[in-house]
Amino acid sequence: MSKLMIGRRALLTLAVATGSVLVLPAQAGATQAGLPAVISASAAQLHPEGVAWDPLRRSFLVSSLRHGTVSVVRPDGKVRTLAADPRMISTFGVHVDAARGRVLTAYGDFGLGVRSTPETIKKSSGIGVFDLRTGRLLHLVDLAIGAGDHAANDLAIDQAGNAYVTDPFSDAIYRVDVHGRASVLVRDPRLLTNGIGMNGIVWHPRGHLLAVNYATGELWKIPLTNPAALTQVTLPEPLVGGDGLDLRPDGSLTVVTNKLSAPGRVAVRTLRSTDGWRSAQVTRRAEPWADTEPTTVAGTPHGSYVLDGRLGTLLAGKPVDTFTLRRLG
């Protein structure tokens, strides 16, 4: 075995232990052999909204608006269920906490799940925490905190394993510690505009969150030492339809926008900041995106992959069985 192979294996082991997303130097044929540029998958009316890279299986994990599950998607497109709980009607954002061997998913109910009921639509809200290896339930955390509608949408995980959760029907961002204890991290009326709140969210290792409002395209920076001192990031253009975010190893931010429920653009942008995210510039743009209904993106050792779970067809009342993961070139 070559020294290069030994070194790469050691780096991968370190990445799993720390929960980081590792981008390795390219070898000849490594990208082609590791993952195909496009993964076409099929599972009965799965309609995934969220995606994460699973370093244990070297596969993807996806959520399901129809079934409220977390499923493994292999590079060949084969799908199997990893985690489920009947109390999760629809699952949205999904993230891996490799350092603690967990997978976390936001759950709610927009009325699109096979188990949706009048009692759960816009009332069911929380995160499910599962063992990454076995899919065993560790915690189911209720986040329907306070009056009004609720439906947790996305989450980010910090180095200590705390989760930060958005809810498009709320003016709050929630915090769930590693023991499953929930609290309101910050509540601010500026996070809710015309009934639409925050969507995609990431944790930045410099101690703050970045989160986007789907309807307005505003990007917010929330310092964890003083969340009430949140500030709006100055952008050259609003990220209307801003859905999934991914903080890349080089410090840039990938933003997926769509027009599923807002007059957004079907695009994938890369933003970079030189002033600690007081402002940011668009440094790369893939528009129009090759798929018409992208929602989010996941970093892998073989590049970033954008998910299209065919949510537009589901919203139109015509569920399908196919979805796509496409590499951002």
Side-chain angles (χ1 to χ4, degrees):
M1 183 181 295
S2 71
K3 291 182 179 179
L4 176 60
M5 288 299 295
I6 294 172
R8 289 171 71 88
R9 181 169 295 175
L11 286 171
L12 282 169
T13 302
L14 177 63
V16 170
T18 61
S20 60
V21 175
L22 181 65
V23 177
L24 297 172
Q27 277 181 264
T31 299
Q32 291 76 13
L35 291 175
V38 179
I39 299 173
S40 298
S42 179
Q45 298 185 12
L46 199 68
H47 289 286
E49 194 269 354
V51 62
W53 174 248
D54 177 358
L56 292 183
R57 299 172 180 84
R58 299 188 59 78
S59 298
F60 292 94
L61 300 179
V62 299
S63 59
S64 173
L65 262 67
R66 287 290 281 166
H67 302 298
T69 55
V70 176
S71 296
V72 179
V73 182
R74 290 179 14 180
D76 62 5
K78 293 183 178 179
V79 181
R80 70 171 181 85
T81 301
L82 171 65
D85 187 281
R87 293 167 289 182
M88 299 194 309
I89 309 300
S90 294
T91 45
F92 297 90
V94 56
H95 288 268
V96 168
D97 178 13
R100 279 156 283 274
R102 307 182 304 164
V103 56
L104 294 80
T105 186
Y107 70 84
D109 187 2
F110 286 174
L112 301 171
V114 296
R115 299 189 308 279
S116 294
T117 67
E119 292 73 31
T120 58
I121 293 173
K122 296 184 180 180
K123 303 303 178 188
S124 172
S125 179
I127 65 168
V129 185
F130 299 87
D131 184 278
L132 178 61
R133 189 175 298 277
T134 66
R136 178 177 61 88
L137 178 67
L138 302 176
H139 304 289
L140 201 69
V141 183
D142 184 9
L143 291 176
I145 299 173
D149 294 337
H150 292 282
N153 183 271
D154 199 8
L155 65 146
I157 304 170
D158 69 15
Q159 195 170 29
N162 301 302
Y164 304 93
V165 188
T166 60
D167 180 343
F169 297 131
S170 172
D171 62 355
I173 293 175
Y174 304 96
R175 179 183 183 272
V176 178
D177 70 15
V178 292
H179 304 291
R181 296 176 297 211
S183 60
V184 175
L185 176 74
V186 60
R187 190 180 296 278
D188 191 297
R190 294 174 294 173
L191 298 180
L192 187 67
T193 305
N194 297 326
I196 301 295
M198 309 308 288
N199 197 311
I201 187 169
V202 294
W203 170 77
H204 195 287
R206 291 192 176 180
H208 62 263
L209 305 170
L210 294 169
V212 65
N213 182 293
Y214 182 83
T216 66
E218 295 170 349
L219 184 67
W220 289 86
K221 175 184 175 181
I222 303 103
L224 293 176
T225 55
N226 184 14
L230 74 170
T231 55
Q232 186 178 338
V233 180
T234 301
L235 301 174
E237 59 193 33
L239 303 167
V240 178
D243 203 331
L245 306 180
D246 180 50
L247 188 66
R248 297 164 62 90
D250 65 1
S252 62
L253 182 72
T254 302
V255 182
V256 177
T257 59
N258 57 55
K259 52 183 180 181
L260 291 168
S261 301
R265 292 150 66 172
V266 179
V268 181
R269 299 176 180 91
T270 299
L271 304 182
R272 186 175 292 278
S273 176
T274 58
D275 58 7
W277 292 97
R278 289 188 293 274
S279 66
Q281 298 297 319
V282 177
T283 59
R284 183 182 181 189
R285 186 192 308 268
E287 183 183 359
W289 185 245
D291 304 302
T292 59
E293 301 161 9
T295 53
T296 193
V297 57
T300 83
H302 307 283
S304 297
Y305 277 74
V306 178
L307 170 68
D308 186 324
R310 307 293 190 266
L311 301 193
T313 61
L314 179 59
L315 290 168
K318 300 176 181 179
V320 297
D321 296 338
T322 58
F323 61 94
T324 302
L325 287 158
R326 186 180 302 272
R327 186 166 59 228
L328 178 60

